[in-house]
Amino acid sequence: MRTAKAGELLEEGMVLEPWNTVVSAERQRRYLDAAEVPASLFGDTVDLSILANDTILAMRYLKKTPMDGLHAGQRMEQLAPVRLGEPLVVRGRVREVRRSPKGRFTHTSFSIESPLGTQKVLGELIYFNPDPQARVAPASVDVAFDRTGWTSVARVALTPQKVAEYSHEFPTYKVHFDPEIAASVGLRAPVAQGLMSFTWMTMAVAKEGLPQRYSVVASFRRPVFWDETVEVLRRGREMAIVGADARQRSSGRFDV
């Protein structure tokens, strides 16, 4: 297996350079405060969404530009609880590359381990690289989200400060900070990281007590702008992030 180098096109089977990390209580609190999630829900254990951010950090050296690849989906599976302050190694491998008429989907799998090699968490990150030559499909009918059977878990009013604070470890990803950069890629305003939605989903799980072993999977359908109010909804094991305009932003599910 070949180690992926900065700036090259990722192909199946490539491995990433190992990423060493620690989730301290302060680091976790900073993320959770920005997302308006009580840190007390997780006690002395690590929230999976913080480790999901580590999967992005592990891939950051590969990006030619911060806008190289759109975060389309995330999956995280806790095999055993991780304690705050516990040293970890993030190991990644390109599992699959899918090509579609609209572009290229890269699936990278991760094993988050103790320094001795004990697996604690498994993950997968999906990036989408649009094909600039692809024809734009006609816009689909954008219907309001059907709330039947769904329960509201939380409502969060975003601000530029909260969005920027959540992205404090990604200062070069200016689409989360800079209105001009956001406008240059067709966005009306800077956007929250997709993983901010993932944090709201892990919160929805934690509110009923965290299992020893569980997984959360999410798809990021539409951007969440830095001035929006969103609602976190749950129906059984399904979760959804919905804007004030009643349009769905992200979908998710957890399993035990």
Side-chain angles (χ1 to χ4, degrees):
M1 291 185 289
R2 187 163 65 86
T3 300
K5 303 299 183 184
E8 69 179 338
L9 190 66
L10 295 179
E11 298 294 346
E12 292 178 10
M14 285 183 173
V15 297
L16 308 186
E17 295 176 0
W19 173 261
N20 296 306
T21 188
V22 174
V23 182
S24 65
E26 172 58 24
R27 183 185 178 210
Q28 177 153 295
R29 183 200 59 76
R30 191 169 179 182
Y31 272 105
L32 297 183
D33 282 355
E36 293 193 358
V37 172
S40 59
L41 288 175
F42 298 92
D44 67 347
T45 63
V46 172
D47 171 12
L48 280 182
S49 73
I50 314 303
L51 294 174
N53 275 281
D54 274 309
T55 68
I56 297 179
L57 290 168
M59 295 193 72
R60 185 168 55 176
Y61 80 96
L62 295 168
K63 282 179 172 275
K64 291 177 286 189
T65 71
M67 293 303 296
D68 181 23
L70 306 175
H71 195 179
Q74 187 81 34
R75 182 180 186 277
M76 300 295 287
E77 179 182 358
Q78 177 175 290
L79 305 178
V82 178
R83 302 300 172 187
L84 294 171
E86 185 176 344
L88 299 165
V89 182
V90 182
R91 302 187 187 279
R93 180 180 63 84
V94 180
R95 183 180 65 80
E96 180 184 8
V97 176
R98 292 189 294 112
R99 292 167 178 82
S100 77
K102 294 183 179 181
R104 192 172 189 267
F105 290 88
T106 302
H107 297 246
T108 304
S109 60
F110 293 89
S111 175
I112 301 177
E113 308 170 356
S114 73
L116 296 178
T118 301
Q119 287 186 324
K120 307 299 288 285
V121 173
L122 301 177
E124 182 173 41
L125 186 156
I126 303 172
Y127 273 137
F128 173 62
N129 291 91
D131 181 352
Q133 305 302 319
R135 296 180 59 185
V136 178
S140 58
V141 177
D142 195 11
V143 298
F145 183 76
D146 182 359
R147 297 173 61 105
T148 304
W150 292 83
T151 300
S152 179
V153 175
R155 187 185 300 269
V156 182
L158 293 175
T159 66
Q161 293 74 24
K162 291 174 186 174
V163 169
E165 181 64 13
Y166 190 90
S167 297
H168 67 277
E169 293 187 305
F170 303 89
T172 62
Y173 290 21
K174 295 187 182 297
V175 72
H176 305 307
F177 305 94
D178 188 326
E180 290 186 5
I181 295 296
S184 74
V185 293
L187 298 168
R188 70 163 181 81
V191 294
Q193 281 184 239
L195 289 182
M196 205 167 189
S197 292
F198 201 83
T199 294
W200 295 324
M201 292 180 188
T202 58
M203 171 193 66
V205 177
K207 280 195 169 185
E208 293 191 356
L210 287 171
Q212 292 288 299
R213 180 167 181 161
Y214 70 102
S215 65
V216 179
V217 60
S219 295
F220 309 124
R221 301 180 171 201
R222 295 181 180 86
V224 176
F225 294 102
W226 70 353
D227 55 0
E228 280 198 84
T229 295
V230 297
E231 195 167 8
V232 185
L233 303 176
R234 179 172 169 180
R235 183 177 66 184
R237 293 184 177 179
E238 296 178 279
M239 293 166 288
I241 310 300
V242 178
D245 59 0
R247 298 321 192 248
Q248 187 172 4
R249 303 296 189 266
S250 300
S251 62
R253 179 179 176 82
F254 85 94
D255 286 295
V256 293

